[in-house]
Amino acid sequence: MASHFDVKRQWGFATIAMICFFLLYLPIVTLVIFAFNAGSSLAVWEGVSFKWFVAAWNNSAVQEAAIRSLIIAGFAATIATAAATMAALATTRTAPYRGLTFKYAFINQPLMVPEIVTAVALLIVFARLKDWTGYSGLAYLIAAHTAFCIPFAYLPIRARLESMDLTLERAAADLYATPWNAFRRVTLPLLWPGILAGFMLAFVISLDDVVITEFVKSGGQDTLPTYMLGQLRRVITPEMNAISTVFLAISVIIVTLFFFISQKKA
């Protein structure tokens, strides 16, 4: 009997996977552990303490950067989700036509282009705009994050629409509902978990972004990730571990909620 190739039963695959996960998560686990270190050393354990979390909480620069990050992520995720919802409706609630694949590729372009390329392009464009308008506020960061987050919001919303049964929408149309009423009373309630999942995914992507923010921001516009990057260039303290631990916890919570919400069937 001829043997057949089964990737799940190949010798060494599980071992390599375990080693990769170990090497990936060991530094993260170490960071979280030393966030509770009572001493100031990043290598010597001196007991359990929450003082670095308290120090980070009372740090005015951390507070300003955190609030700025939440503002940018909130606006960017909201606008990106609204745009992604309209794009998903336009590309799924229509008969296939020439050019539809190009639209898919165009919407998802930020996912395919290296982030550094997007950051440099935005830097060039926004530098000209800042020179012409004299304005250098947070709107540029919000616009940059929105453009980058749209495909992240689009994918779960589109997946939700493609899994939805069209029977109820057609029934609403047969009962003389206007397109707007059919959308508001039938499509939107069924689509809402996908919209919420897209919003949360866009929010966490914006909250964690470093590269685009570093290129686009003006002076005094540090977000929490870029503030931490700047601190790491000077001196590394357990306070950075504490901030990273909180950041990690928020990201894990949001991604977990995204997973459970996206599992709800239409």
Side-chain angles (χ1 to χ4, degrees), residues 41 65 120 128 132 137 167 176 187 214 219 222:
S41 173
V120 172
R128 289 293 183 90
W132 291 342
T167 304
Y176 304 102
T187 307
E214 190 69 25
D222 273 323

Side-chain angles (χ1 to χ4, degrees), residues 138-159:
L138 287 181
Y140 295 110
L141 275 174
I142 293 173
H145 281 223
T146 299
F148 185 66
C149 289
I150 286 176
F152 291 96
Y154 171 80
L155 291 176
I157 295 173
R158 176 189 166 190

Side-chain angles (χ1 to χ4, degrees), residues 72 168 178 226:
I72 294 171
L168 293 176
T178 63
T226 59

